Amino acid sequence: MSKSADPDRRTTAPEGPSRRRVLGTAAGAGAVLAAGGLTGTAEAAAPPLLGTYDVVVIGSGAAGMTAALTAAKRGLSCVVVEKAPTFGGSSARSGAGIWLPNNSVIKAAGVPDTPAKAAQYLAAVVGDDVPADRQQAFLDHGPAMLSFVMANSPLRFRWMEGYSDYYPELPGGLPNGRSIEPDQLDGNILGDELARLNPPYLSTPAGMVVFGADYKWLALTAVSAKGLAVATECLARGTKAALLGQKPLTMGQALAGGLRAGLLAADVPVWLNTPLTELYVEGGTVAGAVVTRDGAPGLVRARRGVIVGSGGFEHNAAMRARYQEQPIGTEWTVGAKENTGDGIRAGQQLGAATDLMDDAWWGPAIPTPGQPWFCLAERTLPGGLLVNAAGARFVNEAGPYSDVVHTMYERDTPSAAHIPAWLIVDQNYRNRYLFKDIAPTFPFPDEWYDAGAAHKAWTLDALATAIGVPAAALRSTVDRFNSLARQGEDTDFGRGDSAYDHYYTDPSVQPNSCLAPLWLPPYYALRIVPGDLGTKGGLLTDARARVLRPDGSVIPGLYAAGNAGAAVMGRSYAGAGSTIGPAMTFGYVAALDIADNL
């Protein structure tokens, strides 16, 4: 059962804007007063004043920096307070795909999108988990947000051609996709601030400039002429940048760097090493934030509003244990390590409602030493399959990554364990494809084997013994999978039926680029656990990004965006960048609302 079903952790308000709502209010604190007032740091007890601004933004990820840039360009004074010693949060670590229907970049590229198609598709993906007006606010403001960012920062963007919407077969879905990513940016524009940019999750190969859309081809360099051509192009970009004395940034590094450059030009300060302690309330309105700066508490007052963009709670073990299903672990997430739910908990102390707290931006991950590896191409490339503890397939391995983990949780029982699952591949697969950053034919690191993240055997029976699954069942499963692969149709789980399934695959494999038999020993098993890009539950907001109470009333002066707020995608995932696109959009919406209405 989901933790959201626990009556101590959930309530449904009769007139509330969502049918799923988790209160999760901190024990003994944050009660909503009968008259609608707020509890919080009282004016008399306020710590020393650090400054007064029109808008205080909590967090320097894509949501927070977009919000701050918008506020500044609307003539409001603004400060960004950031817990980490670096800026950029999880956005800087990411591939920075951005899902934004009908934006100017995809329209210029000839993508056949329309507002009606986008609304139809988003409604089909999200369903009634998120109010229609909030879905529409995202669609209405997303294109304007992107145009604003390009007009007020050095950021430019590229269409990720061919990166399908995750459910292109639904009404309004686009098989060629709507996702975009940042174009190359010269880090020199940041000056000394470049050293304070949060590092990427996976470093770009030395001497190369790589875009997110390149990775699907780099995985195929050993078997594809186009893969080799893309690798050559990446190297040529890197060589050119070096000759020009540039410090090339792409993906999340470019996104965070470009937004920070916009804030520098707008004279918006970003205070690093400044964690939020609690929100400050004055006269029934959120009017600032209590933070720790230089080791001491201090108050940053906000004349017009506070925007919480502090990320999710993926690194808070207690919150994950309270709200989410077991097994779960903070060691399986790739979110920024500072994301411990500070902004969410501060809102809860004021009686804010929360939603989707049992969910996350899931994806199958290999718990490799140091940090987990979030599997995209690896589980999709032909010649691999996922099995449970019974040695049986249970899912379309090439389906949307969040769906794979949802299935793992839904089917995981003591009698039929699906966590961990196992990715089974053979040496033919390893001879052909990049795996993480390990070149074809190269061995997996010894540390993977030592940690139990990888196993290797010369027979399927021996591999089954190593991972504790029935040998006969694993042999039967692989035999069945091989027969389906040879005929090119997965009649068991539909792998290859959707255009999305074919994105991270090998076009040279026919008749189905998703499917190839396993036949060449040795065989490998990679441990698969429920990884995530971050949690997707947080403060419940309306279409104007205002934080709500359980009865649907607004907490004055308080806004949320990004993973600090409950996701507009509900329990699903429309396409690549469904985290960052809405995060930036609702950061923009929050700042506009403050400028226009307070």
Side-chain angles (χ1 to χ4, degrees):
M1 290 292 291
S2 165
K3 287 290 183 81
S4 65
D6 186 335
D8 292 333
R9 296 180 173 90
R10 176 178 173 180
T11 186
T12 303
E15 300 298 327
S18 173
R19 68 184 177 90
R20 288 190 178 97
R21 180 165 302 133
V22 183
L23 284 177
T25 306
V32 181
L33 301 182
L38 303 176
T39 63
T41 299
E43 185 176 6
L49 184 65
L50 299 176
T52 300
Y53 298 84
D54 292 325
V55 179
V56 175
V57 175
I58 313 297
S60 67
M65 287 198 285
T66 302
L69 185 62
T70 306
K73 291 300 178 178
R74 288 298 302 268
L76 302 177
S77 63
C78 184
V79 65
V80 178
V81 296
E82 167 59 55
K83 177 181 184 179
T86 56
F87 69 87
S90 293
S91 300
R93 290 171 53 78
S94 74
I98 300 172
W99 195 81
L100 279 177
N102 292 295
N103 70 73
S104 61
V105 175
I106 64 172
K107 299 299 281 186
V111 176
D113 202 5
T114 66
K117 282 183 183 178
Q120 187 180 33
Y121 176 68
L122 188 63
V125 170
V126 175
D128 62 356
D129 284 330
V130 176
D133 65 337
R134 193 157 169 254
Q135 295 180 43
Q136 194 60 48
F138 165 60
L139 297 175
D140 288 346
H141 290 283
M145 177 278 295
L146 193 76
S147 296
F148 166 83
V149 165
M150 288 193 289
N152 293 282
S153 80
L155 281 166
R156 298 297 178 266
F157 297 89
R158 305 156 52 102
W159 177 39
M160 301 177 77
E161 182 176 3
Y163 204 150
S164 172
D165 285 343
Y166 287 178
Y167 306 95
E169 63 279 357
L170 291 179
L174 297 183
N176 264 340
R178 296 173 161 101
S179 300
I180 60 173
E181 64 173 318
D183 209 339
Q184 183 177 331
L185 187 73
D186 182 5
N188 285 317
I189 63 173
L190 289 169
D192 293 342
E193 279 298 291
L194 181 60
R196 290 179 274 277
L197 174 60
N198 200 22
Y201 167 55
L202 179 67
S203 297
T204 299
M208 302 179 82
V209 173
V210 181
F211 295 111
D214 294 331
Y215 273 103
K216 64 170 287 185
W217 294 109
L218 293 180
L220 305 176
T221 300
V223 295
S224 164
K226 183 166 183 179
L228 183 60
V230 168
T232 302
E233 184 179 357
C234 292
L235 184 59
R237 290 189 207 117
T239 302
K240 180 179 179 181
L243 290 173
L244 293 174
Q246 297 177 348
K247 297 176 180 177
L249 304 176
T250 58
M251 297 182 280
Q253 297 288 281
L255 179 63
L259 288 170
R260 184 69 184 95
L263 295 184
L264 285 170
D267 294 323
V268 175
V270 176
W271 296 354
L272 302 178
N273 296 299
T274 308
L276 171 70
T277 302
E278 59 184 318
L279 296 166
Y280 175 74
V281 177
E282 186 175 277
T285 297
V286 176
V290 178
V291 300
T292 301
R293 184 158 168 78
D294 297 326
L299 171 64
V300 191
R301 293 179 64 99
R303 301 185 192 94
R304 308 284 293 270
V306 174
I307 303 173
V308 178
S310 52
F313 59 93
E314 56 267 24
H315 283 281
N316 186 318
M319 290 183 74
R320 298 206 83 151
R322 176 174 185 176
Y323 295 114
Q324 300 190 320
E325 292 184 76
Q326 296 294 331
I328 193 67
T330 58
E331 70 276 14
W332 295 342
T333 182
V334 301
K337 64 181 181 296
E338 291 82 10
N339 291 349
T340 55
D342 300 359
I344 297 171
R345 287 183 288 114
Q348 289 176 311
Q349 289 171 355
L350 303 187
T354 57
D355 198 13
L356 302 172
M357 296 289 279
D358 59 325
D359 215 339
W361 301 100
W362 302 115
I366 302 170
T368 52
Q371 68 174 1
W373 177 246
F374 192 93
C375 291
L376 291 174
E378 293 83 3
R379 66 190 165 81
T380 301
L381 287 163
L385 67 154
L386 288 172
V387 301
N388 61 17
R393 282 183 77 204
F394 60 91
V395 73
N396 168 14
E397 297 89 348
Y401 34 91
S402 57
D403 288 356
V404 175
V405 173
H406 278 138
T407 300
M408 291 171 69
Y409 274 121
E410 287 164 6
R411 299 190 179 182
D412 188 56
T413 65
S415 60
H418 287 69
I419 301 171
W422 297 95
L423 173 62
I424 310 296
V425 302
D426 70 348
Q427 190 60 44
N428 179 55
Y429 173 106
R430 285 298 301 122
N431 290 343
R432 294 174 64 85
Y433 307 125
L434 182 75
F435 196 105
K436 188 177 179 284
D437 53 356
I438 303 167
T441 75
F442 279 57
F444 292 135
D446 289 343
E447 310 89 78
W448 289 21
Y449 294 106
D450 294 342
H455 297 266
K456 175 183 176 180
W458 286 91
T459 67
L460 287 173
D461 283 13
L463 189 69
T465 299
I467 62 175
V469 307
L474 182 60
R475 270 189 282 110
S476 176
T477 296
V478 172
D479 286 345
R480 171 67 177 170
F481 180 83
N482 287 351
S483 69
L484 297 175
R486 292 187 185 100
Q487 73 186 34
E489 185 179 5
D490 179 13
T491 53
D492 291 345
F493 295 98
R495 180 166 166 179
D497 290 355
S498 172
Y500 171 75
D501 295 357
H502 293 270
Y503 183 72
Y504 285 112
T505 55
D506 182 352
S508 70
V509 172
Q510 295 298 324
N512 185 333
S513 68
C514 295
L515 298 172
L518 287 70
W519 58 273
L520 181 64
Y523 299 96
Y524 302 85
L526 289 308
R527 186 180 180 93
I528 299 294
V529 297
D532 64 72
L533 302 171
T535 50
K536 67 160 51 176
L539 301 174
L540 188 66
T541 59
D542 65 8
R544 292 161 58 180
R546 301 178 300 177
V547 175
L548 304 176
R549 302 185 182 95
D551 64 0
S553 62
V554 171
I555 295 180
L558 186 60
Y559 296 77
N563 286 353
V568 74
M569 293 292 157
R571 298 186 178 277
S572 196
Y573 213 132
S578 291
T579 53
I580 295 178
M584 296 176 69
T585 299
F586 282 107
Y588 173 77
V589 166
L592 290 182
D593 197 72
I594 291 172
D596 291 343
N597 295 291
L598 293 179

